[in-house]
Amino acid sequence: MALALLAPCVASASPQETIERAGPPVPTPQTQPCEVQLFRDAPFATPATGFSFTPPVGCPPPWAKVVLSMDLDGSRAAQTRGVAVALNDVPLFLGPTPDTAQPSNWHVERDLTDYSVLFKQPGNGALIALRAFRDATGGSTRIIGSATLRFYPPRPGKRTPRVPDAVYPAYTDQLSGPPGVRDLASLPHNIERAYLDVTANDESFWYNCITPAMAQAHPTLISPVALGLSQRGIFPADQGCLPHSYSDVLVTVDGSPAGVAPVFPWLPTHFSINSGPRRSPFWNAVDTPTDSAESLDFVPYRVDLSPFAAILNEAGTHQVALNMTAHMDINGQWFLAPRTANLLVYLDHGKSRLPGAVTFNSLPASLPEPAVSDGLVQDGDLLQGRVGTRLDRDFEIRGYVDTSHGRVQSAVIQHSRFWNVRQYHVKDDPADFGDQPYYREDLWLKSTTQSVSRHTQGGNLLSEDRRDASYPLEMHYIGAGRLTDWYSEEGNLDVDLFGGSVNVHQQRLLDVSHFRHDLPRYSTQLREEFYGNHRVDPDTDADSNWHATHAFAFQDSRGSCYQKTVTTQDGSLDDTTTGMGCPDGINRLRWYAHPDGSPDGWSWQRP
């Protein structure tokens, strides 16, 4: 998904705060689009709100580009943690919502050109409020949205992109309809290439979880002033989660391991530093008045399943599933993270059935167990030391299909490295009636994934797609507690979070290159960074609000260049710069570019 500057949003009687986005718009061709309004001022709800879709009149396919443009309006009063838009059960958009006290409005866009086949026929859609704490349909607590699909015809004499011939909802969890795996009973038997667009994120601070053995050996790691998402109140819940600080998505086809998608360690907008029980100044979201990386959208990750094309071509029902480690809080409650996967297939129109096989697969079928080192030392009521988590994962999968133009072989090679170090300094003695806990955690995380997909025929390279994704995160957190004047059920005074600080530095780095036979290689580079800090004095309650900088930069080998930086001070917009580092200081994006880092099959270049 790509982001755009905010357009006018739905009207509201309350004062509105516009969230200034740093990311780019979806670039479009210089042709006049046909527009279809999907819905206007409609609520996202649980159960879902419905809408109907009719293809654009007088604007037949094929289209050069299809863009979803959506304006949203809401606040934390909506009691939801995200929204989704689906058409004929296929998720088109999935993203979190800002945790702002006052109503906010924001704008998102998504390039749906690869989903063009869905828009050739009328259909029914759904607007879904994700993980609602209670009914999210009434009064002013709703998330409201308006959306338009824009269909761009090709320029005269220009070829249109080769888009997938079919799109199927393979997996949906925490959305409307039956959760989990979908039975794919009507797949065609002439699939030549197959891809899976995976959207999977944990709402929790999964990169902050510890092992059950560590929780038992060091009980002060589970603390009401630790970093976490539990709802705070008169009697604060202990913060902490299990079973370890690693996450990824294992994709399976009919039960066999078929690929791995990394999980972006996104920052929830409602840090525990924001949630004092009777201190409204703590309720400032990190994403206002600007956003952090993926804080208002989830960018899909595309997995190449072409080595399994022959398996999908076999008669019968097939299943494509997403498998993740289930992180849970210390009370055994699972974190409910939305997950979706859409299967996109390209067919061989010269042959009705394509035989073939998977010839090599080194990907283990089980979920990985990272190596965890425990360097914590307890000295009286002081716990300090380091915890390390590491996992290296390499695999290769090969397969082939016999097409109408010969045998095509597919290979996917992937290397991933995950490294997470946390330094703790925790002072707490639950047995001491006068104790006031202090919790400091410093975290350094780096997750990198290098993947190569190749398609060959007779020893000749038909296509090659390379992608290097890196997700560094550095976080420094302090939670300071003090006694409240409320009594717990045991008759003791409770301790709650009344001060501390958060400092974060997060990056999303993508280097991608595409090669097609007899064509020049096309390469892209994306650099996204977010810096943020917030401090609340535990003695005076003085609140700094969020100071943040969100920088976004993209360029490609064909002259595209985009740069925008948004800076906030004391929770207010301070400065915006655009075009720095671009020729003449001007942002220019080729219409076919994917500057947000969303899946790009480069099909616009060669049908």
Side-chain angles (χ1 to χ4, degrees):
M1 182 178 65
L3 313 176
L5 298 181
L6 188 66
C9 194
V10 295
S12 173
S14 303
Q16 293 288 297
E17 182 170 32
T18 297
I19 298 177
E20 181 76 12
R21 307 303 303 270
V26 173
T28 56
Q30 294 181 344
T31 57
Q32 184 64 34
C34 307
E35 295 189 354
V36 174
Q37 188 168 68
L38 295 182
F39 48 89
R40 181 175 179 82
D41 297 356
F44 290 79
T46 306
T49 300
F51 69 90
S52 60
F53 166 76
T54 302
V57 178
C59 192
W63 303 290
K65 200 142 194 180
V66 182
V67 178
L68 171 67
S69 176
M70 185 160 56
D71 295 303
L72 300 170
D73 179 292
S75 70
R76 70 165 62 100
Q79 297 293 319
T80 183
R81 285 293 177 255
V83 294
V85 179
L87 180 63
N88 293 339
D89 294 329
V90 176
L92 303 178
F93 170 84
L94 179 65
T97 54
D99 193 45
T100 55
Q102 298 299 321
S104 298
N105 51 52
W106 63 102
H107 181 81
V108 292
E109 293 186 0
R110 173 159 290 176
D111 184 347
L112 294 178
T113 309
D114 279 349
Y115 290 69
S116 293
V117 66
L118 298 176
F119 311 124
K120 295 180 180 181
Q121 303 293 333
N124 295 314
L127 310 179
I128 308 152
L130 303 176
R131 302 183 299 282
F133 293 125
R134 52 178 179 264
D135 180 42
T137 62
S140 61
T141 64
R142 300 171 297 177
I143 299 292
I144 302 295
S146 298
T148 299
L149 275 178
R150 297 191 174 99
F151 300 85
Y152 291 83
R155 296 175 62 185
K158 297 294 184 179
R159 295 183 297 185
T160 56
R162 168 76 193 280
V163 298
D165 295 287
V167 178
Y168 303 93
Y171 190 100
T172 57
D173 196 9
Q174 305 305 320
L175 302 184
S176 62
V181 179
R182 299 290 187 95
D183 288 333
L184 302 173
S186 58
L187 291 180
H189 305 301
N190 56 340
I191 298 173
E192 184 173 339
R193 289 181 292 141
Y195 301 89
L196 195 70
D197 280 356
V198 176
T199 304
N201 291 76
D202 279 334
E203 182 188 28
S204 63
F205 293 101
W206 56 265
Y207 40 82
N208 189 58
C209 294
I210 58 177
T211 65
M214 289 172 55
Q216 183 175 5
H218 312 294
T220 53
L221 287 179
I222 308 299
S223 168
V225 297
L227 190 67
L229 292 176
S230 293
Q231 294 295 301
R232 299 188 181 278
I234 296 175
F235 307 119
D238 286 337
Q239 302 278 1
C241 58
L242 307 170
H244 51 63
S245 62
Y246 177 81
S247 185
D248 67 8
V249 182
L250 174 65
V251 178
T252 59
V253 174
D254 295 344
S256 297
V260 174
V263 173
F264 181 70
W266 71 286
L267 300 170
T269 64
H270 43 299
F271 285 89
S272 53
I273 187 66
N274 298 330
S275 306
R278 290 168 290 128
R279 306 289 199 219
S280 59
F282 287 89
W283 286 83
N284 327 67
V286 66
D287 60 353
T288 179
T290 187
D291 60 329
S292 55
E294 291 199 35
S295 66
L296 296 177
D297 61 36
F298 293 140
V299 179
Y301 187 93
R302 182 163 291 181
V303 177
D304 189 351
L305 295 182
S306 298
F308 278 80
I311 305 301
L312 296 172
N313 285 331
E314 294 176 354
T317 299
H318 299 281
Q319 290 186 340
V320 178
L322 306 182
N323 305 271
M324 297 176 65
T325 297
H327 291 89
M328 61 182 178
D329 66 20
I330 60 169
N331 297 315
Q333 298 296 315
W334 304 107
F335 290 118
L336 302 179
R339 293 174 285 171
T340 69
N342 296 326
L343 180 65
L344 296 77
V345 299
Y346 293 83
L347 307 180
D348 180 358
H349 297 284
K351 197 173 181 180
S352 60
R353 289 183 176 271
L354 302 187
V358 176
T359 57
F360 180 81
N361 189 348
S362 64
L363 177 60
S366 60
L367 292 174
E369 286 292 333
V372 180
S373 60
D374 181 355
L376 295 171
V377 177
Q378 186 79 46
D379 184 8
D381 62 355
L382 177 64
L383 175 69
Q384 58 184 343
R386 287 196 168 192
V387 173
T389 304
R390 187 182 182 106
L391 180 67
D392 296 340
R393 197 173 196 184
D394 304 318
F395 66 88
E396 181 176 358
I397 304 175
R398 298 192 297 266
Y400 73 90
V401 286
D402 290 324
T403 73
S404 60
H405 47 90
R407 175 167 292 186
V408 174
Q409 297 179 324
S410 300
V412 175
I413 304 170
Q414 187 161 306
H415 308 281
S416 62
R417 302 290 181 265
F418 181 90
W419 175 82
N420 184 3
V421 173
R422 286 166 289 166
Q423 176 78 39
Y424 289 97
H425 185 96
V426 181
K427 186 177 183 300
D428 192 10
D429 185 359
D432 183 356
F433 181 80
D435 183 60
Q436 297 187 20
Y438 175 90
Y439 201 104
R440 175 170 179 169
E441 179 181 354
D442 302 285
L443 178 147
W444 298 269
L445 181 151
K446 188 173 183 180
S447 174
T448 62
T449 300
Q450 298 175 320
S451 63
V452 181
S453 297
R454 295 191 182 99
H455 302 273
T456 60
Q457 184 176 15
N460 297 318
L461 182 62
L462 300 178
S463 67
E464 180 183 79
D465 298 287
R466 291 180 172 267
R467 175 176 48 194
D468 292 352
S470 181
Y471 305 143
L473 172 64
E474 182 176 346
M475 179 184 299
H476 305 278
Y477 170 83
I478 294 176
R482 71 181 185 205
L483 295 176
T484 72
D485 53 2
W486 295 90
Y487 285 86
S488 68
E489 294 179 357
E490 291 77 18
N492 296 323
L493 290 172
D494 260 310
V495 177
D496 209 340
L497 177 68
F498 273 79
S501 63
V502 177
N503 291 270
V504 295
H505 177 206
Q506 182 165 52
Q507 296 174 278
R508 186 166 68 104
L509 314 175
L510 296 176
D511 292 276
V512 181
S513 69
H514 304 283
F515 169 80
R516 299 296 181 268
H517 185 60
D518 294 334
L519 294 173
R521 186 175 291 272
Y522 173 65
S523 59
T524 66
Q525 183 183 81
L526 185 153
R527 298 290 182 265
E528 183 177 13
E529 292 191 74
F530 176 81
Y531 301 85
N533 65 82
H534 181 200
R535 184 178 186 275
V536 179
D537 189 283
D539 298 318
T540 66
D541 293 339
D543 190 346
S544 71
N545 289 316
W546 277 98
H547 304 292
T549 298
H550 188 184
F552 200 107
F554 170 85
Q555 62 181 6
D556 69 13
S557 57
R558 295 199 171 191
S560 293
C561 185
Y562 175 91
Q563 182 278 331
K564 183 176 179 180
T565 300
V566 179
T567 303
T568 67
Q569 292 288 336
D570 194 22
S572 300
L573 185 65
D574 181 62
D575 190 28
T576 300
T577 63
T578 60
M580 293 183 63
C582 295
D584 302 322
I586 299 175
N587 289 333
R588 294 184 177 88
L589 290 172
R590 302 290 186 178
W591 70 269
Y592 44 76
H594 288 244
D596 64 328
S598 59
D600 181 3
W602 209 37
S603 57
W604 47 266
Q605 177 61 49
R606 184 178 183 181

